[in-house]
Amino acid sequence: QNMESLFEYGSRRGFWRLYKLFVERQIPFTIYGVAPPLERNKDICDAIRKSFLEKNLIEVACHGRKWIDYQKIPKEIEKKHMKMAIKSIQKTIGQRPLGWYTGRCSPNTIGLVMDEGGFLYCSDTYSDDIPYWEKKGSKKQLMIPYTLDNNDMRFLTNQGFNNGDQFYTYLKDSFDALYEEGKEYPKMMSVGLHCRIIGRPGRFQGLKKFVNYISTFDDIWIAKRVDIAKFWIKKFPYKIEDNDD
């Protein structure tokens, strides 16, 4: 029960701390939403819908029906969970999710995302600094990589972050390296946040410092993942290679 209360901190306090920062600073962001918790948090869903109507700052991507490891889950059950999660988020948020991220995916996950056909992007990959295309038969899927290093989960792992300044320094160093490389070729930086983790006051200060830092740059784009997807699809559409079927 005590472990459950650690997660509850995210919805009771952490979300609102992040929400206030991003809305006040007009910073767009993507929420990876697990369907049942959204169903149970009406106030959060109300705030998300309000952002759609007033400022369009928030995107809700689908983070699945259950937070379980799908590695050995039968394909048909994973497919059923995917359909249930999409339907649930469409009902609670008012919009069909256009992005997907399982996190603990199976060998079938990306294929199921392609077969479902309604996702502009999938983030079940960590293999690049920029989006790229995957192909399966006649189907193609834009992949927008997620990150496990620019991620507050490292507050909970060995050799991770011990305080907000370490988090800030790592994010700043990542940003600076990508910004320098971006002078020659576009780069993308993801920052992974969890309400129950970065929402703690001491850790949150590191995030605020990073937001303040990147706000001094006038030639970067802070975007929801769905907006990155739309941009990439328009500017860098899938190209048929010589070895394509």
Side-chain angles (χ1 to χ4, degrees), residues 202-214:
R203 298 165 179 166
F204 183 69
Q205 291 301 101
L207 175 63
K208 286 180 66 176
K209 289 177 182 178
F210 181 66
V211 168
N212 290 338
Y213 177 67
I214 62 175

Side-chain angles (χ1 to χ4, degrees), residues 224-239:
K224 304 188 296 292
R225 294 175 89 78
V226 68
D227 293 332
I228 295 172
K230 291 176 180 177
F231 170 83
W232 202 267
I233 290 168
K234 180 178 180 180
K235 296 294 184 179
F236 304 101
Y238 180 83
K239 293 183 179 180

